Amino acid sequence: MISKRVTRVVCTTAAGLLMTGLAGLAGPASAASTGNTASAGNPAKFTTFPGRLYSVAATDANNVWAAGLHPDSSLIVHWNGKTWTQSLSNHLGYFNGVATDARTDAWAVGGTNWFSPSDTFIEHWNGKTWTQVPSPSPGEGGNLTAVTAISRTDAWAVGLIGPGGDGVTGNTTPLIEHWDGVSWKQVPCPIPANGGQFTSVSATSPTDVWAVGFTGGDGSGDTGQQTLIEHWDGTAWTQVPSPNPPGGVNFLKGVAATSPTDAWAVGNTSLTSNQNAVILHWNGTAWTQVPSNSGASDAELQSVATTSSHDAWAVGMTNPSTCSPQCATMILHWNGT
């Protein structure tokens, strides 16, 4: 199965993945912890780092990458089966997504600025070092929110054109970029009349790639956003009709596929006083909404992963509208029925 990863929307709140150690984004970064090998009986001894992690990808149990940001720079950490080590941290910018298809081939994507208008930012791992790779950055600016790696000569990154970064609002349009083994190039895709952006991408082959997100602006003002799904068939990107629950604005934040006839997308409907989790399924012909059975009246989903037609996981949170008394983690499982 091709690397299937998902990412949060830049403007939403996200918890760090795999490790604790969140730090405020203002102020200098402190030195990273360096020892503390984890043990089966004491998971608390995992190494922690100051900052946040927003994406994770792996090829095997001894090769895992996670990417995000330090308080004042980008951050990539690596798991070798025994310890987490800091692999890159001194570059400006931040990472939203990471993907890998081999021990000598990994990508991290994001933006150059967090609190101000941004340009796209891509780094590549060749088995020895991380190196920044030039990427198209439209004149209006933009950032990349997710990446999927199919092979050394085939990778896709998605995001948005327009203002980007936490707290930076404005009109945006979807952005798709492709790696052909030589360079990253912007690839034309259908643009909704009211704009929009992509939040996640997943591929099963060079001729089967999905990108999901939402139409409209940055998502902070609830101004009519609706689900957005586009598909690459090896020749062109086309927009595919996607369900929109009535009564609110709708966002997709994660996608994962196992075959041309099996894919999942998750997100939420934002209503006046609460949010409802949204799950969509692709059966090879059409996307349909599947009941989430979350048991929560206020919930949203941020990410999805799947291994087969009868095994999928979706994660997110309850009480996202107010976090009162507090937000709580939510995990849903699909068993094929």
Side-chain angles (χ1 to χ4, degrees), residues 213-233:
F214 52 89
T215 65
D218 61 9
S220 64
D222 290 350
T223 56
Q225 288 83 3
Q226 297 293 292
T227 61
L228 174 62
I229 300 180
E230 297 192 10
H231 182 257
W232 172 260
D233 62 3

Side-chain angles (χ1 to χ4, degrees), residues 64-324:
V64 186
W65 294 100
L69 72 159
H70 267 315
D72 60 357
S73 65
S74 54
L75 173 64
I76 300 176
V77 295
H78 182 255
W79 172 255
N80 64 3
K82 295 181 179 180
T83 59
W84 285 98
T85 56
Q86 187 168 284
S87 184
L88 182 149
S89 66
N90 60 348
H91 291 197
L92 297 178
Y94 61 94
F95 295 117
N96 291 316
V98 64
T100 179
D101 67 292
R103 285 178 173 261
T104 57
D105 187 38
W107 294 97
V109 304
T112 56
N113 296 293
W114 183 264
F115 288 118
S116 59
S118 173
D119 290 322
T120 61
F121 181 35
I122 298 180
E123 293 261 353
H124 180 254
W125 172 258
N126 63 4
K128 295 181 179 180
T129 60
W130 284 96
T131 304
Q132 186 173 351
V133 179
S135 60
S137 196
E140 305 94 320
N143 66 67
L144 299 168
T145 56
V147 60
T148 186
I150 301 171
S151 70
R152 297 180 189 278
T153 60
D154 193 1
W156 292 92
V158 301
L160 59 97
I161 300 172
D166 194 23
V168 182
T169 61
N171 296 326
T172 62
T173 55
L175 173 64
I176 298 179
E177 298 186 2
H178 181 251
W179 171 256
D180 60 7
V182 178
S183 62
W184 284 93
K185 297 181 178 65
Q186 185 175 343
V187 179
C189 64
I191 304 297
N194 61 338
Q197 60 183 266
F198 290 120
T199 57
S200 184
V201 61
S202 178
T204 66
S205 74
T207 60
D208 183 37
V209 187
W210 291 100
V212 306
F214 52 89
T215 65
D218 61 9
S220 64
D222 290 350
T223 56
Q225 288 83 3
Q226 297 293 292
T227 61
L228 174 62
I229 300 180
E230 297 192 10
H231 182 257
W232 172 260
D233 62 3
T235 302
W237 284 94
T238 56
Q239 186 171 343
V240 180
S242 55
N244 280 285
V249 295
N250 302 293
F251 307 90
L252 292 176
K253 300 175 180 178
V255 64
T258 58
S259 74
T261 60
D262 185 40
W264 293 94
V266 301
N268 67 282
T269 295
S270 182
L271 304 171
T272 302
S273 59
N274 66 288
Q275 300 182 52
N276 288 336
V278 171
I279 300 178
L280 306 182
H281 182 252
W282 171 257
N283 63 4
T285 303
W287 285 93
T288 56
Q289 185 173 356
V290 177
S292 70
N293 296 324
S294 68
S297 60
D298 187 14
E300 70 176 40
L301 293 171
Q302 294 277 350
S303 181
V304 61
T306 177
T307 63
S308 70
S309 60
H310 58 270
D311 182 38
W313 293 92
V315 301
M317 67 189 82
T318 62
N319 303 321
S321 299
T322 61
C323 282
S324 177

Side-chain angles (χ1 to χ4, degrees), residues 40-56:
N42 188 6
K45 290 181 72 61
F46 274 116
T47 303
T48 58
F49 303 88
R52 304 179 182 184
L53 296 172
Y54 288 120
S55 182
V56 62

